[in-house]
Amino acid sequence: MEALDERIWIADGGTVPFFTLPYSTRMTVVKLDDGSLWIHSPIKLSADLYQALNELGDVRYLVAPNHLHHLFLEEWQTAFPQADTYGTQEVIAKRQDLSFTGELVTKETYPWSQEIHQVLFTGSPVMQECVFFHSPSQTLIVTDLIENFSPDAFNAWQRILAKGTGILAPNGKMPIDWRLSFMCRKQEARAHMLHILAWQPKRIVLAHGEIIRDNATAFLKHSFSWLKV
């Protein structure tokens, strides 16, 4: 795992196919004040990762932030039976074979709320995503809200597709299909983005693509210029 700050780490997993593109995967680990671990968008669990986490702390919370980020939940629940699992309404409906402790929404108190803030990004009939902000490290944590793939991740025709979709670094955005689905409720999405900007993040961790390590606010304003923020 790579340490980003005193109590936040990332771990990169393998790729998964999505719309003919090889999507890289990444999870985020936060160590809370009580020593427990909060795991965002779990990747495939390897023996080395399992050992590293057990040395770091007690895996207490598993978070599935949207209905596309659920592939490895079952193996994590088996490996860490003491952990509580949280997901959006959509992922809970999709994975009725799994047990969830609670639903991710905006206006509710969670065990991590003093350190990690959140907003449910809604306004699209296609997908909703719970977006998180780790206040001590000023880190914004997203999955598909922004995708920012390195050109080196794709072959020539895949790069053309990724650029057309708007997910090619250094100008990564929300994928165009999801972006267009907000057209009827764009003001709702704009309110969510203004909420996120008010957090004033200094970095952005993405599940897919290159991390934004500085100038995060400027990147967000450029990436979401379609919302006129």
Side-chain angles (χ1 to χ4, degrees):
M1 295 189 295
E2 175 190 346
L4 293 181
D5 210 291
E6 187 176 350
R7 289 190 301 177
I8 182 168
W9 297 260
I10 57 170
D12 290 342
T15 60
V16 295
F18 191 72
F19 285 112
T20 74
L21 296 177
Y23 267 52
S24 57
T25 57
R26 176 179 296 121
M27 77 176 193
T28 306
V29 179
V30 173
K31 190 168 188 175
L32 301 174
D33 281 342
D34 64 2
S36 64
L37 302 182
W38 180 90
I39 312 293
H40 176 271
S41 187
I43 60 174
K44 186 170 181 58
L45 184 60
S46 67
D48 287 344
L49 184 56
Y50 179 82
Q51 181 179 347
L53 290 168
N54 278 321
E55 292 173 356
L56 191 62
D58 175 28
V59 174
R60 189 80 53 79
Y61 308 108
L62 305 175
V63 175
N66 69 39
H67 74 273
L68 298 179
H69 286 251
H70 61 88
L71 295 179
F72 307 109
L73 276 180
E74 185 174 8
E75 62 186 72
W76 281 75
Q77 288 184 337
T78 300
F80 301 102
Q82 79 282 5
D84 294 332
T85 304
Y86 292 81
T88 62
Q89 181 183 40
E90 292 176 342
V91 74
I92 292 171
K94 185 173 185 176
R95 292 303 305 267
Q96 296 183 31
D97 58 314
L98 299 178
S99 175
F100 287 86
T101 306
E103 180 183 334
L104 295 170
V105 295
T106 300
K107 295 181 178 179
E108 188 172 316
T109 300
Y110 295 88
W112 56 78
S113 294
Q114 292 297 314
E115 300 165 71
I116 303 172
H117 310 310
Q118 64 193 68
V119 60
L120 189 65
F121 205 101
T122 61
S124 164
V126 176
M127 185 165 68
Q128 56 185 220
E129 177 175 317
C130 199
V131 179
F132 298 91
F133 177 67
H134 181 236
S135 181
S137 67
Q138 295 179 269
T139 302
L140 185 68
I141 305 168
V142 305
T143 44
D144 297 287
L145 192 79
I146 306 166
E147 296 172 1
N148 191 49
F149 290 100
S150 166
D152 296 335
F154 305 126
N155 61 33
W157 75 267
Q158 288 172 336
R159 279 194 293 272
I160 294 171
L161 178 60
K163 186 174 182 179
T165 308
I167 59 173
L168 203 64
N171 299 305
K173 299 178 180 65
M174 178 185 289
I176 192 169
D177 55 337
W178 191 12
R179 217 181 316 151
L180 290 173
S181 70
F182 284 96
M183 290 304 102
C184 293
R185 294 164 64 184
K186 190 181 287 189
Q187 287 303 110
E188 187 173 339
R190 184 174 185 274
H192 294 320
M193 184 46 57
L194 290 174
H195 187 147
I196 291 168
L197 285 168
W199 287 331
Q200 298 184 338
K202 73 175 185 180
R203 70 166 66 85
I204 309 171
V205 174
L206 299 82
H208 307 299
E210 297 183 351
I211 293 173
I212 310 305
R213 297 181 184 269
D214 49 39
N215 299 317
T217 298
F219 180 91
L220 285 170
K221 288 181 177 180
H222 176 71
S223 183
F224 287 86
S225 59
W226 57 280
L227 291 178
K228 303 186 186 305
V229 292

